[in-house]
Amino acid sequence: MTGHVYWMFDLEIKDGEYETFEALMKEMVAATEANEPGALDYEWSVSEDKKTCHILERYEDSAATMVHMGNFGKNFGRRFMAVLKPRSVTLYGNPSEEVVRALGAMSPVVMTPVGGFSR
């Protein structure tokens, strides 16, 4: 097993906000790819009716996770919350206590690894 930290967000796209959501998503994906080498996976998916969004994020380690969370809060947090309503977050891997605390407001379900591998 690795020191990777990853999560799945389940979010509701607020009524009438899909176009704003889509523009924000493109901006966030480009910024994360360009500025965060510790972001290993950053994948957004949308339901057919464009009302639900899942975001799968995987980071090299807790330090890379905290870099992302800092960038998110500074650059995107307010706009993100204006168009998306968080429903749940499931946290996987080996997050530090700092990461768990930083996600605390979302009441994440923390899953402890018990076996497997990552290639």
Side-chain angles (χ1 to χ4, degrees):
M1 290 188 272
T2 69
H4 295 172
V5 175
Y6 46 112
W7 57 63
M8 176 71 72
F9 278 106
D10 176 18
L11 306 143
E12 176 185 327
I13 302 168
K14 294 180 181 178
D15 288 338
E17 295 292 344
Y18 186 78
E19 289 76 23
T20 304
F21 155 81
E22 191 171 40
L24 178 63
M25 177 270 305
K26 289 177 182 178
E27 184 181 349
M28 290 178 67
V29 168
T32 300
E33 184 174 25
N35 302 314
E36 298 179 26
L40 304 175
D41 295 290
Y42 195 66
E43 300 178 5
W44 296 52
S45 300
V46 176
S47 61
E48 188 174 330
D49 64 6
K50 297 182 179 179
K51 293 183 179 190
T52 298
C53 173
H54 284 183
I55 306 173
L56 171 65
E57 302 179 38
R58 184 170 65 102
Y59 298 92
E60 190 172 82
D61 54 24
S62 290
T65 304
M66 292 307 298
V67 166
H68 175 75
M69 293 175 85
N71 289 338
F72 170 80
K74 180 174 49 174
N75 300 311
F76 303 108
R78 186 167 286 161
R79 291 185 290 153
F80 184 92
M81 297 305 284
V83 299
L84 292 160
K85 178 182 176 187
R87 293 193 286 223
S88 68
V89 61
T90 305
L91 178 60
Y92 304 93
N94 293 293
S96 66
E97 286 300 316
E98 182 182 26
V99 169
V100 174
R101 278 193 310 274
L103 286 170
M106 294 282 302
S107 300
V109 173
V110 179
M111 302 296 289
T112 302
V114 295
F117 64 92
S118 182
R119 293 185 199 244

